[in-house]
Amino acid sequence: MNDNRLGTAVSPYLRLHADNPVDWREWGPAAFAEARERDVPVLVSIGYATCHWCHVMARESFADPEIAELLRRDFVAVKVDREERPDVDASTMAAAAAFTEQLGWPLTAFMTPDAHVFFAGTYSPPTPVGGHPSFRQVLAAVVDAWHDRRAEVDANATALAGAIRQGAVDAATPEGADGAGADQGLPSVDAVHGVVDTLLQAEDTVYGGFGGAPKFPSAPLLEFLADAGADGVAAAHPLLERSLRVIASSELTDADGGVFRYATQRDWGVPHYERMLYDNAGLLAIAPRDQARGIADFLRDTLRRPDGAFVAAQDSESTIDGRRVEGEWYRRPLADRVALAPPPLDDQVLTGWNGLAIRGLAIAGARHGDDEMIALARSAADALIAGHLRDGHVAVRSSTPRGSSSAPPTIEDIGLFAEGLLELAVVTGEVAYAETARTLVDDGLSGTLAVDPVLAASGTATGEQPQTAMRSGTVALANAALTLAALTGVEDYRTAAASLIADRARTGVGRPLGHADALGVALALQRPSREVVVVTSTESPGAVGSAVAMRRAAVTERRPGTVTVLVTPEQARAWATANFALLESRDALDPAAYVCHDRVCALPARDADELAAQLTSA
């Protein structure tokens, strides 16, 4: 009898599997208790709603009644949405690395009832192909090992769990470092600058980007190049510009401005057609005006809900002429698409991913003088504050029109949302966003985030894994704390920021692809802090006049270690009342700009030229 329990799930990915003949369970203690009672292994299948190969494996294997019967008899089958449960995904992925170098989704892991992985892989075909066993063969081999070599299975699973635990401990224990910043465990500025040379050596000088196929937009890596260029590394900006140009001009960018997840070919051809919020949001923070405008249009027209929040992604597949096909809708001209049903959306609203979008829209809107981008950021922030926060704290990681997920918020949600709110606060002058962000940063630094009970009991909770595509929540939390240090004068925030990213930054010097986002924060921590406060009566960055010229001069350059706040006199008073010490006594002159180092300020500049001169000399 089919006892599939996914029909009432909040996750769109789980609901896609609600009609499978497989007796799927959601992740949780009950599934592992059942496995313990029956003395069978747990099959954990991890994917997400817009994943093409997840769709393929579902059609080929999970819709097969014979495979469903094998799973019902010999396993407890658990479906996990990696977007809803990044904690489960990260821990499982860490263990899967012991079995395959080709990590990705769908991820198939086999666990003991104690949630210790003893075998894992990715997509398995329905029949053997090129030396890769079929899914049936994988299942048969696992069952054979479980029954006939049980002691070996248990020993290996326990050893792997112990290695993962030790790795998590080692990652949380700062080591010494040579050169400047060693007292904080940070890599030296010279070492961080040297990463640009490493990336130059890795650049594909024929087609652009880094390495061969597949090629990803890698927004965190490109943002590091922007930071390094602003910090004086001459080669960084040209490398960044070449990379952004090829992304914008290649098949990776759709005609409507949205960017696909990756290209399968070295020449950036044949995209993997799904479009993720995080890729597009990350590129917004560094893209030139036209490219940023195209991405913002895609977010507004495709991923934005009526309440202002952004959903997670758009699928690679659509239904055309009654057939489910990958990429065909995107390959047609924009005018021809109107008559066709578009690829479906992953309708999850994720707190962290929306924080990343708010940050990107706020930065791009201020830099390019685009009021609509800032308005989009504001409406997303308001929607998340209303729907995902309780008493100022993140209570919901994921929600859909069907309700809120019970999945616990993660460091990704705390850090990325706090960072996004701070960026929005400093470009709009709205102190309420900064106050909420301060609460979130304090939550993140408290170390009291909930840990999944299954992972906690198994000892395999690993925290965030290296990511090539999306800014780390830990890095975002560190950068938000560093911004708060400048705004409040509380040095504990700066100390906390250094502690959060020291290990990641040291690793990033040698392996920048997965840790590049930490390198920009490492630079900021080792530069004299610079605070810029612009006080004008004109609130709109897109208005005309000398006040706006001062605002534009202030936001044109964003270098590591600089925090820029744009306020009216009334807003400056509100910030000061809320204990943001940088804004104290900044309401007397209008217009005026204050360029400060460690909150020691030069005489106020009264026009854009004077401000530009102070910024250039600082």
Side-chain angles (χ1 to χ4, degrees):
M1 183 182 73
N2 185 8
D3 195 22
N4 188 314
R5 305 179 187 187
L6 303 185
T8 59
V10 170
S11 157
Y13 176 63
L14 269 55
R15 291 172 73 94
L16 286 175
H17 292 268
D19 294 329
N20 290 166
V22 177
D23 283 344
W24 291 117
R25 308 289 189 266
E26 290 197 52
W27 175 278
F32 288 88
E34 180 185 344
R36 190 173 296 109
E37 180 181 348
R38 292 172 51 199
D39 193 30
V40 296
V42 181
L43 178 148
V44 178
S45 175
I46 303 177
Y48 56 102
T50 60
C51 165
H52 170 64
W53 286 104
C54 301
H55 297 329
V56 173
M57 192 166 176
R59 289 191 288 264
E60 293 174 343
S61 297
F62 298 138
D64 185 329
E66 292 182 5
I67 287 181
E69 178 57 32
L70 292 175
L71 293 176
R72 180 183 303 110
R73 185 188 68 200
D74 296 323
F75 301 87
V76 170
V78 172
K79 259 294 172 192
V80 175
D81 183 339
R82 68 111 174 174
E83 295 172 353
E84 182 184 35
R85 297 306 306 261
D87 51 348
V88 176
D89 179 57
S91 297
T92 308
M93 193 71 74
F99 302 97
T100 177
E101 294 181 355
Q102 304 300 317
L103 295 172
W105 302 276
L107 179 64
T108 305
F110 297 90
M111 299 184 182
T112 69
D114 294 326
H116 294 162
V117 175
F118 64 90
F119 185 70
T122 53
Y123 165 77
S124 291
T127 56
V129 177
H132 294 283
S134 70
F135 190 50
R136 279 186 177 84
Q137 290 173 322
V138 171
L139 294 178
V142 169
V143 170
D144 177 72
W146 185 259
H147 290 297
D148 298 339
R149 299 189 302 280
R150 180 64 175 275
E152 180 182 345
V153 166
D154 289 340
N156 289 342
T158 300
L160 179 56
I164 292 171
R165 277 195 301 272
Q166 188 58 50
V169 170
D170 292 344
T173 304
E175 301 171 0
D178 295 328
D183 59 327
Q184 297 173 308
L186 298 169
S188 69
V189 169
D190 288 344
V192 175
H193 284 180
V195 173
V196 176
D197 291 331
T198 301
L199 295 176
L200 282 170
Q201 294 300 314
E203 184 185 17
D204 182 343
T205 56
V206 177
Y207 295 110
F210 304 96
K215 279 186 172 167
F216 291 80
S218 301
L221 191 70
L222 299 183
E223 184 162 353
F224 161 67
L225 289 174
D227 289 335
D231 204 52
V233 183
H237 273 146
L239 179 55
L240 169 64
E241 290 167 1
R242 291 193 296 272
S243 300
L244 287 171
R245 187 161 53 245
V246 74
I247 288 170
S249 62
S250 71
E251 293 179 51
L252 197 71
T253 297
D254 190 34
D256 67 358
V259 177
F260 297 112
R261 183 164 168 249
Y262 65 86
T264 63
Q265 304 297 318
R266 180 188 166 196
D267 65 358
W268 296 94
V270 193
H272 190 63
Y273 286 99
E274 60 190 331
R275 300 198 285 186
M276 314 302 293
L277 175 59
Y278 58 73
D279 287 318
N280 289 273
L283 290 171
L284 266 173
I286 49 173
R289 182 191 299 270
D290 290 347
Q291 192 174 14
R293 186 61 255 178
I295 292 172
D297 288 346
F298 163 66
L299 297 188
R300 179 197 65 206
D301 298 339
T302 302
L303 299 187
R304 187 173 185 263
R305 295 197 322 185
D307 66 355
F310 297 105
V311 300
Q314 186 174 31
D315 210 319
S316 59
E317 298 184 356
S318 60
T319 302
I320 297 179
D321 296 330
R323 292 190 309 114
R324 182 89 168 177
V325 290
E326 183 195 16
E328 178 61 29
W329 188 83
Y330 298 106
R331 287 190 288 267
R332 300 198 180 193
L334 284 177
D336 294 350
R337 296 182 194 177
V338 176
L340 301 171
L345 299 176
D346 177 344
D347 64 357
Q348 286 187 97
V349 170
L350 299 165
T351 301
W353 295 18
N354 271 263
L356 194 63
I358 292 163
R359 175 179 185 260
L361 287 164
I363 290 173
R367 179 180 298 151
H368 303 309
D370 191 314
D371 288 356
E372 190 196 24
M373 290 187 194
I374 295 175
L376 290 171
R378 188 194 293 265
S379 62
D382 292 344
L384 268 292
I385 290 170
H388 284 203
L389 269 59
R390 303 289 183 271
D391 298 323
H393 307 277
V394 176
V396 176
R397 167 170 173 77
S398 168
S399 68
T400 72
R402 297 170 295 281
S404 298
S405 168
S406 60
T410 68
I411 194 70
E412 177 184 290
D413 302 301
I414 305 294
L416 290 171
F417 195 42
E419 190 180 36
L421 289 176
L422 280 174
E423 288 290 354
L424 183 60
V426 298
V427 303
T428 63
E430 294 294 336
V431 70
Y433 295 128
E435 291 180 286
T436 301
R438 180 167 54 190
T439 298
L440 298 185
V441 170
D442 290 344
D443 288 346
L445 297 180
S446 71
T448 58
L449 283 176
V451 178
D452 176 80
V454 174
L455 296 177
S458 70
T460 57
T462 62
E464 288 187 303
Q465 294 297 294
Q467 299 191 58
T468 60
M470 192 174 84
R471 188 170 179 83
S472 153
T474 300
V475 170
L477 179 63
N479 193 48
L482 186 58
T483 300
L484 284 175
L487 293 171
T488 64
V490 177
E491 282 301 303
D492 285 351
Y493 284 126
R494 188 179 185 90
T495 302
S499 177
L500 283 168
I501 61 99
D503 179 74
R504 288 175 178 269
R506 289 195 308 274
T507 304
V509 169
R511 291 189 283 138
L513 193 58
H515 297 80
D517 48 6
L519 297 175
V521 183
L523 286 177
L525 282 161
Q526 295 179 81
R527 292 308 192 196
S529 72
R530 183 176 71 169
E531 303 86 26
V532 181
V533 180
V534 179
V535 183
T536 68
S537 293
T538 303
E539 292 190 45
S540 170
V544 178
S546 60
V548 173
M550 292 181 69
R551 288 171 172 245
R552 295 286 298 123
V555 299
T556 297
E557 180 198 18
R558 295 178 63 92
R559 79 178 192 194
T562 295
V563 173
T564 301
V565 190
L566 310 177
V567 289
T568 66
E570 293 77 16
Q571 288 175 328
R573 288 192 289 274
W575 282 73
T577 300
N579 296 317
F580 291 96
L582 179 63
L583 281 296
E584 289 178 0
S585 304
R586 301 295 183 214
D587 60 337
L589 299 177
D590 177 18
Y594 304 85
V595 178
C596 315
H597 291 88
D598 292 323
R599 292 171 300 281
V600 177
C601 305
L603 292 174
R606 302 306 303 276
D607 59 43
D609 290 340
E610 190 176 354
L611 173 58
Q614 288 191 14
L615 292 172
T616 302
S617 63

